[in-house]
Each structure stands twice: as structure tokens, then as C-alpha cells.
Amino acid sequence: YLSLIFANCSIKDSTISIYFSPKSKTYDNAIKKLVKNAKEYIYIPIFYLTHKGLTQELINAHKRGVDIKIILDATAAKNKYSTHNILRKEGLHVKVENFGGKMHAKSMIVDDKYIVSGSMNLTKAGNSKNDENTLVIKNPKLALKYKKYFLTLWRDIPNKYEDRRGKAG
């Protein structure tokens, strides 16, 4: 059993924080703070998004002017616990992927500074029950590469898959 719950290390221009759920309480100790402190944007390519606390924090960020864009997997959009319709009703930009394969990236890009990546879906179970790993990487150059990739995916998904009135798309 791993006794390591949280660690920091630096590699060149990066600061990397490592979290192991459920012991690390990754949402409370890392993700929530990033969302609350975001100033410009939060882009999320994700498989499952069902975490109610995160959903509310994303809505709060949107209300204070942060650009939120989420790409959700089509299969996950059919999950009855998915919060994407709530986010859409609040005016956030959410697209459901429409290409073959899965939107299986479990990541977040924040303000050209941070990348969150790992095995954890943005769910209550991912945070508090499952054995998961999550890296929070502070590296502006790497964040820009992730952002560029995300925006390419966003552009390639037709706007009809972004129904902000709360329909599954």
C-alpha cells in the first residue's frame, strides 16, 4: 500500500503536484482551488463529469467572467448523473464529442499556466472512492500546447453539438 499521498517536484520549468485518490482528496486539495482562482479560462476535455461541487464552482467561475469550455464524451452524456445539462442551462459552453472513439482525456487546462491530468474522472467516486492518480502541472509552455490541442478539438466539433439550452446534443 502506498503511503505517498501527495508530493511536489520540479522538472526544468515545471512544478508538478501528485495526488493519489481517495487519500489525497484531490478535488478539495487541488482542483477546487484552481477553479476558484482561474482568471481567464478553464478548458476541460473529459469522459465523465458528475461532481456536483465542481459543477457549482464552474458555474461560479463562469459568472465571474471565466471562459469555460467542456468537451464531454457522447457515452458519458447519456449518464443520468452527468451535470452537463445543468452547466448548459447556466450558459456554459459544453460540446458532446461527435467523432469515433471516446473523449477519454481526463484533463483540465487553466489560464495558460496549469494542466490537470491523470486517471481521475471528475466524479464523486473518482475523488473519494477509486484509486486514482492526478498530476497538477504548472508549466506555461506545456499548458499552451494542451490549450492548442483542446481548441483544435473544439473547432472540429460542429456547433450543433453545443446546445446551451440543456439538450443532450
Side-chain angles (χ1 to χ4, degrees), residues 37-49:
N37 292 326
K39 304 280 187 250
E40 297 174 36
Y41 75 86
I42 302 169
Y43 296 157
I44 305 173
I46 193 71
F47 186 67
Y48 279 114
L49 175 54

Side-chain angles (χ1 to χ4, degrees), residues 43 67 69 71 109 144-157:
Y43 296 157
D67 180 31
K69 287 184 173 59
I71 301 173
I109 310 107
L144 286 172
K145 289 180 189 254
Y146 266 72
K147 176 184 175 182
K148 182 179 178 182
Y149 178 71
F150 177 88
L151 290 173
T152 299
L153 290 175
W154 185 265
R155 182 197 68 225
D156 290 347
I157 299 171

Side-chain angles (χ1 to χ4, degrees), residues 14-78:
S14 297
T15 300
I16 303 169
S17 301
I18 305 161
Y19 298 85
F20 296 99
S21 298
K23 295 277 187 192
S24 298
K25 297 184 173 114
T26 304
Y27 172 72
D28 292 323
N29 292 324
I31 295 171
K32 184 176 182 179
K33 182 169 69 170
L34 286 175
V35 173
K36 281 183 171 266
N37 292 326
K39 304 280 187 250
E40 297 174 36
Y41 75 86
I42 302 169
Y43 296 157
I44 305 173
I46 193 71
F47 186 67
Y48 279 114
L49 175 54
T50 64
H51 194 285
K52 290 183 169 113
L54 175 59
T55 297
Q56 187 57 56
E57 288 302 334
L58 290 169
I59 291 167
N60 294 345
H62 169 72
K63 287 180 178 177
R64 66 174 194 273
V66 176
D67 180 31
I68 310 287
K69 287 184 173 59
I70 300 165
I71 301 173
L72 184 69
D73 181 75
T75 302
K78 296 174 188 168

Side-chain angles (χ1 to χ4, degrees), residues 3 9-10 12 32 63 75-79 83 91 106-107 109-110 124 129 141 160:
S3 62
C9 64
S10 292
K12 291 192 180 187
K32 184 176 182 179
K63 287 180 178 177
T75 302
K78 296 174 188 168
N79 180 296
T83 60
K106 299 169 184 176
S107 57
I109 310 107
V110 180
K124 183 178 177 182
K129 293 182 181 178
K141 289 180 184 177
K160 71 179 183 177

